[in-house]
Structure formats: C-alpha cells, structure tokens
C-alpha cells in the first residue's frame, strides 16, 4: 500500500507539468481522483488491509490525498491562466504610443473657471473651497439671511432628508442640511478658519430647485470672491471687478453698478457689463454678477470685530460668463456631453 501511494504521487507529479489544456486536466484528474482513479482504488484497498495497520495507512492516505489536491489545484490554476491568455490575445506593450490621437481637452466650463481664477490670482487672490452639502447655518444664518427669506423655502432649495448630517458642520445644533444654493458659504468657512486679511475666490458647484430650460439648471457653478482687510472700500470693489471684466471680455468692455440687495452685503449691487465684442448681445447692458461690501453682521457672525474690518464680496455664475464669451444660447449644452459641442473648445 505504501508503495502504491508513493507511486500515485510520483506519477502525478511527473505528469502535471505537461498538462496545458482543460481536456488534458479533466482526464488527468479523472485518472487520479475520479471514480475509477488510482487514488480511489487505493482507498478501496484499505478494507483489505490488516486492522492494526489501518490507522497508520489511513494517515498516509490522507496525506497523499492532500498532496494530490495541491497538485491538482496548481495545475488547474495554470490551465486557467492559459485560457485567459488565449482570450486576451498577444501581449500588449503598454509603452507604445496610443493609436487614438484624441488627447481629450478641458471642458469649456473648466477653461473659463481657470481663466477667471487666473485673473484674480494676478490680484493676489487664492482659491478656497467648501463642501457641496452644507448646513443651513453656513448657507443662510451666518450670511445674515433671515429665517423667512424665500431662498430658505423648500420650493427654492434642495434640502436633504431630515436627519442628514454633514461631517464638518455639526457645531450649530439640530439644523437642516441642503445642497448649497450658492458659493457664499465659502466666505464663512474661510473666515472661521483664518484671520484677516483675506483675499480668496471660491469656484464651485451650486444647486437650486430650478426647472431646467435654456438659462436655468438645477446644478450650476459660481465663483465667489471675498476680500477682507482694513479700509476696503467701494472703490476697491469697482476696480477689482472692472479689472476682471476687462481681462476676460476685453478692454473695450464697460461696467456699471446698480443698487440691489443681498442680506450679506451693505451696500449691495448688481454689476452690468456692456461690450462691443459679444455678437448679437453687443452694446446691451447685461447683468453678470451680484456684489457689495460685506455686511458688518456677517463679520459679527464669524467673530471678526466689525468696527475693525471691512470687506468686499461678489458672486458670479460661471455658465453665464462662458455663455456670453462664447455666444452659447442654451445652458444645457454644458452638461449634455455632446462631442460636437465640446470639440469646439478643444485646443
Ligand atoms: N450669493 C449670491 C447668489 O447666489 C451672489 C452674490 C451676491 C454673492 C452678492 C456675493 C455678493 O458675494 O456680495 O445669488
């Protein structure tokens, strides 16, 4: 019996390296451990062995079975690898250049965002970020927007289901969470994080419960700006925004500030733009952004001394700028991923 088992193992080990295909493997396996296989025969032979030798032989049999299973497993693994390699075809050289010469390009909104950020960078602004899911406090209360303001209405804003928590905004108690309706939240986050002076722009995605049409999207992008320092004045606001408009729309562009209202600025303005370079929109006053001087109440809310600090802030829609710059007539083009549209902006 001992010899029989040793022979089975030796023969199997000798044959295994030659097994390359599935049918060979099946046959190999059947020859050893199938119903008519050598190992099965050895097991049956146990009954004829003298009783006192059986425990020892049983142990040896189990050992041999274990070895054979290992051998079968390794052989099957090799056979499967062969099959996979056959399916994949000849090996690929990943160092060869791609046969597809379409390198891809930046989305027009990304291009405009980078351009706008680049303009403000020249004026010493850095980029700040904040989360897209916000607590009501960051989105409204801290920005001096009262409880009964329409923006806080379910009709206007995308609130999260009750009980939703935002990881880094639990400090203001049991409040609702929402998809931020503007990037002004980043003003608050930045001021809480650092001391003035501050000069940041915060590009990012915003969300509103808007019905989608040529000029509305429930999901859009803004760039927020905030400059806090001693003695920031309206003159600074006008010159910063004029610089921005001329850099982006050309030196022949003109601007005007129209009085308006935002809870977080006092005074507040809408800025209009007029340019001879805008195709069918040339030489018409076009509203492009909200802006103003930071309301002292906002400074109070973030723990800055309102008598000591002054600031300017603005918020501009990225889609709006891109549409004006490129004469795009429908905001939905930005999100449709139609290559015929996107390729026009490929460099
Ligand atoms: N957050 C405003 C909006 O989404 C835009 C805005 C207006 C931002 C005036 C500002 C600002 O920083 O000063 O409509």
């Amino acid at each position: 019996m001992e010899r029989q088992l040793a022979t089975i193992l030796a023969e199997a080990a000798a044959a295994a390296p030659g097994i390359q295909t599935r049918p060979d493997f099946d046959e190999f396996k059947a020859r050893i451990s199938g119903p008519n296989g050598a190992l099965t025969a050895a097991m049956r032979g146990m009954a004829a062995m003298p009783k006192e030798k059986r425990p020892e032989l049983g142990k040896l049999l189990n050992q041999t079975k274990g070895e054979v299973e290992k051998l079968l497993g390794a052989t099957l693994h090799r056979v499967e690898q062969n099959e996979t390699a056959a399916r994949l075809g000849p090996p690929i050289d990943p160092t060869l250049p791609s046969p597809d010469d379409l390198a891809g390009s930046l989305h027009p909104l990304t291009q405009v965002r980078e351009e706008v950020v680049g303009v403000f960078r020249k004026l010493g602004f850095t980029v700040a970020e904040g989360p897209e899911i916000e607590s009501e406090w960051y989105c409204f209360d801290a920005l001096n927007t009262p409880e009964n303001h329409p923006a806080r209405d379910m009709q206007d804003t995308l609130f999260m289901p009750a009980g939703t928590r935002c990881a880094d905004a639990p400090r203001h108690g049991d409040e609702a969470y929402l998809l931020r309706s503007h990037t002004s939240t980043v003003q608050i986050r930045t001021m809480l994080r650092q001391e003035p002076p501050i000069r940041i722009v915060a590009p990012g995605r915003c969300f509103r419960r808007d019905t989608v049409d040529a000029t509305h999207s429930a999901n859009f992008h803004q760039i927020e700006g905030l400059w806090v320092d001693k003695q920031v004045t309206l003159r600074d606001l006008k010159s910063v925004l004029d610089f921005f408009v001329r850099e982006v729309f050309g030196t022949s562009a003109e601007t005007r500030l129209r009085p308006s209202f935002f809870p977080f600025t006092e005074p507040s303005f809408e800025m209009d733009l007029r340019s001879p370079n805008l195709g069918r929109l040339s030489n018409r006053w076009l509203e492009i952004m909200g802006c103003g001087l930071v309301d002292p109440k906002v400074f109070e809310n973030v723990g800055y001394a309102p008598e000591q600090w002054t600031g300017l802030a603005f918020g501009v829609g990225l889609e709006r700028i891109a549409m004006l710059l490129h004469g795009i007539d429908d905001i939905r083009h930005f999100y449709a991923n139609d290559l015929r549209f996107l390729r026009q902006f490929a460099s």
Side-chain angles (χ1 to χ4, degrees):
M1 173 66 101
E2 286 98 326
R3 209 158 347 107
Q4 192 187 356
L5 290 174
T7 311
I8 293 173
L9 195 56
E11 283 181 3
I19 310 287
Q20 300 298 347
T21 66
R22 178 77 59 163
D24 283 356
F25 174 77
D26 289 342
E27 201 217 319
F28 176 57
K29 186 174 169 187
R31 228 164 49 220
I32 305 168
S33 59
N36 299 317
L39 201 59
T40 322
M43 273 155 73
R44 279 202 211 99
M46 276 294 278
M49 292 292 126
K51 218 171 174 178
E52 65 282 6
K53 285 200 77 178
R54 274 190 218 160
E56 196 192 323
L57 285 174
K59 216 165 125 193
L60 187 64
L61 182 70
N62 277 338
Q63 242 172 31
T64 312
K65 243 167 81 181
E67 297 288 327
V68 164
E69 265 160 28
K70 245 196 272 170
L71 198 64
L72 286 173
T75 310
L76 179 61
H77 182 64
R78 200 182 55 250
V79 166
E80 282 171 346
Q81 276 182 331
N82 288 346
E83 288 173 342
T84 308
R87 262 204 311 277
L88 290 176
I92 296 165
D93 179 354
T95 63
L96 287 177
S98 163
D100 181 357
D101 64 354
L102 234 187
S105 62
L106 294 179
H107 190 278
L109 285 178
T110 307
Q111 292 182 28
V112 171
R113 184 192 70 207
E114 289 308 297
E115 186 181 345
V116 172
V117 166
V119 170
F120 284 107
R121 199 174 282 135
K122 289 186 195 171
L123 297 176
F125 285 74
T126 55
V127 172
E129 288 186 311
E132 291 172 1
I133 298 182
E134 268 295 5
S135 78
E136 260 194 311
W137 188 81
Y138 282 97
C139 207
F140 302 125
D141 302 81
L143 286 158
N144 195 33
T145 306
E147 194 71 49
N148 58 358
H149 193 282
R152 299 181 70 144
D153 195 327
M154 293 295 225
Q155 304 302 314
D156 275 31
T157 301
L158 294 157
F159 280 87
M160 304 301 286
T164 304
R165 282 284 163 271
C166 165
D168 57 347
R171 34 176 286 156
H172 299 284
D174 200 25
E175 47 184 337
Y177 287 78
L178 53 119
L179 296 177
R180 67 177 176 195
S181 54
H182 53 182
T183 43
S184 303
T185 52
V186 186
Q187 287 189 23
I188 302 302
R189 287 187 171 271
T190 308
M191 287 193 280
L192 286 177
R193 211 170 29 226
Q194 66 194 71
E195 291 298 316
I198 286 176
R199 227 183 281 182
I200 52 124
V201 280
R205 196 193 301 241
C206 307
F207 308 84
R208 288 189 198 169
R209 200 180 275 268
D210 268 338
T211 305
V212 178
D213 64 19
T215 53
H216 293 85
S217 166
N219 167 193
F220 59 101
H221 300 78
Q222 287 185 336
I223 294 191
E224 185 78 15
L226 175 69
W227 177 350
V228 181
D229 208 327
K230 303 223 159 103
Q231 292 175 342
V232 176
T233 64
L234 255 187
R235 195 157 47 174
D236 297 309
L237 179 71
K238 180 84 164 80
S239 52
V240 164
L241 296 182
D242 278 2
F243 179 77
F244 154 68
V245 164
R246 300 219 169 98
E247 285 280 300
V248 175
F249 290 92
T251 46
S252 50
E254 296 170 87
T255 62
R256 73 177 180 193
L257 292 175
R258 256 183 310 112
S260 181
F261 174 79
F262 297 100
F264 33 90
T265 41
E266 180 61 35
S268 305
F269 306 92
E270 297 284 352
M271 194 175 77
D272 297 340
L273 146 81
R274 185 166 69 174
S275 161
N277 308 324
L278 294 178
R280 67 192 166 81
L281 296 175
S282 292
N283 301 317
R284 296 216 325 237
W285 283 113
L286 306 161
E287 182 179 312
I288 68 156
M289 66 163 91
C291 58
L293 296 182
V294 178
D295 193 304
K297 197 79 188 114
V298 174
F299 286 144
E300 255 174 52
N301 292 342
V302 295
Y304 285 7
E307 60 287 349
Q308 195 179 352
W309 297 107
T310 50
L312 63 83
F314 54 90
V316 55
L318 211 52
E319 280 84 350
R320 176 95 173 122
I321 298 181
M323 288 170 84
L324 288 175
L325 264 183
H326 297 300
I328 297 166
D329 59 2
D330 195 319
I331 198 169
R332 288 167 290 199
H333 287 310
F334 290 122
Y335 320 114
N337 272 344
D338 186 333
L339 285 177
R340 290 168 302 180
F341 171 76
L342 296 173
R343 280 212 177 103
Q344 298 175 64
F345 304 94
S347 41

